Amino acid sequence: MNPFARLGANTIERLARFGYGARGAVYGVVGILALLAAIGSGGQAGDSRNALRTVLGGPFGAILVGLIAIGLLGFALWRLVEGATDADRRGTSPKGLAVRGAHLISAAIYGGLALSAASLSLGLGLGGGDGTRDWTAWLLAKPFGRWLVALIGLGVAGGGVGFLLKAARGDVTERLALDRGKLRWAKPLGRFGYGARGVAFLIIGAFFVVAAWYQRSSEAKGLAEAFALLRAQPFGWVLLGIVAAGHAAFGAFGLIQARYRRIDAPDIDKADDAVARAVRAAT
């Protein structure tokens, strides 16, 4: 094998592992803050950007947020490579193509979060306004925009169903290189985390469907509002506490993925070609 090709593959693998760790750190903070809010011990049930602000306010905050930004960018690049090159060998079945498409969407989301983290680390802030509602309003103003927003909502909710099924089937550790003993504690952690993310995705997807139904961008909401909806229910602090703890578990599971996930990364030249083809196809 060409040693330079192996070096390129190793670079992608390192970026992917750093990315899983950064994503895990962000959702770990999200879950812990929401759990503290649920039990009335301070904290704020917010989204990933709230978590970044919290990290920034701690010791070495700017450095840590900067490292998270680099990690999230690495994760976005890995998701792009996954979707474009089929690095995980999902295939071209409808399910495989759906997963690869979701990875491409994930690449865009985490790329945006990486930019927000970098901006925050450099003291530039996270930008004004509500990005979700802004682009929802932009879409609603377009022909067929209402249907596009509804499709986005259904897609998000579908992702939630996928997470819940993954948690129920227990195949969250299928790509982890762990022995049987470690799997006994890693699997329940991952199932709990994916289950909590599934609940959050279902609620967020419903928000977008409601926004499309009423044609009001103000109805398009994110994770912070999903937490708030849970808290407003009877015994809401219990519901919020469970879902918050699940997000913390999802964050911890991300750290496990950073260390033990099997990553069959292509060399950089092949990845570049595949990504370029994907971009051309999209445009």
Side-chain angles (χ1 to χ4, degrees):
M1 175 182 286
N2 183 344
F4 293 104
R6 185 66 254 167
L7 179 62
N10 286 341
T11 299
I12 294 176
E13 180 179 344
R14 291 190 185 99
L15 285 172
R17 294 195 186 282
F18 192 21
Y20 278 111
R23 185 182 70 159
V26 169
Y27 282 107
V29 174
V30 167
I32 291 170
L33 290 175
L35 183 58
L36 290 173
I39 62 178
S41 296
Q44 181 180 5
D47 58 14
S48 53
R49 286 172 172 78
N50 294 117
L52 290 172
R53 291 189 183 96
T54 300
V55 173
L56 184 70
F60 307 105
I63 295 173
L64 291 176
V65 173
L67 290 173
I68 289 172
I70 295 170
L72 291 174
L73 181 59
F75 187 75
L77 291 172
W78 167 240
R79 282 301 199 214
L80 182 60
V81 169
E82 272 188 302
T85 70
D86 195 19
D88 282 335
R89 295 177 175 82
R90 304 282 183 177
T92 55
S93 66
K95 179 181 177 180
L97 291 175
V99 171
R100 291 172 64 184
H103 285 162
L104 295 176
I105 295 171
S106 177
I109 292 171
Y110 283 104
L113 185 59
L115 291 176
S116 294
S119 177
L120 189 62
S121 175
L122 295 171
L124 303 177
L126 288 174
D130 187 317
T132 299
R133 293 175 187 172
D134 288 345
W135 65 256
T136 302
W138 180 83
L139 266 182
L140 287 173
K142 303 299 179 184
F144 305 106
R146 178 181 188 179
W147 301 107
L148 290 174
V149 173
L151 284 174
I152 290 170
L154 292 174
V156 173
V161 172
F163 279 148
L164 290 171
L165 290 175
K166 193 176 183 72
R169 290 194 301 260
D171 58 358
V172 297
T173 56
E174 62 180 342
R175 297 183 185 275
L176 297 183
L178 287 173
D179 59 40
R180 188 179 300 274
K182 292 178 180 176
L183 281 174
R184 275 199 293 267
W185 57 265
K187 181 174 284 189
L189 188 71
R191 294 177 74 175
F192 186 26
Y194 275 97
R197 289 295 286 159
V199 171
F201 269 52
L202 283 175
I203 296 173
I204 294 168
F207 285 150
F208 279 99
V209 172
V210 171
W213 180 266
Y214 290 108
Q215 299 190 64
R216 290 202 300 261
S217 62
S218 60
E219 300 293 342
K221 302 169 184 177
L223 183 58
E225 290 83 4
F227 283 151
L229 180 65
L230 288 170
R231 186 67 179 86
Q233 305 309 307
F235 300 100
W237 69 273
V238 176
L239 295 176
L240 175 58
I242 292 171
V243 175
H247 277 74
F250 185 78
F253 191 72
L255 300 180
I256 295 172
Q257 289 176 303
R259 174 64 180 85
Y260 294 106
R261 194 186 193 279
R262 296 185 186 93
I263 297 175
D264 187 13
D267 69 75
I268 288 179
D269 287 339
K270 292 180 180 178
D272 285 346
D273 292 342
V275 170
R277 287 195 298 270
V279 171
R280 286 197 297 269
T283 56

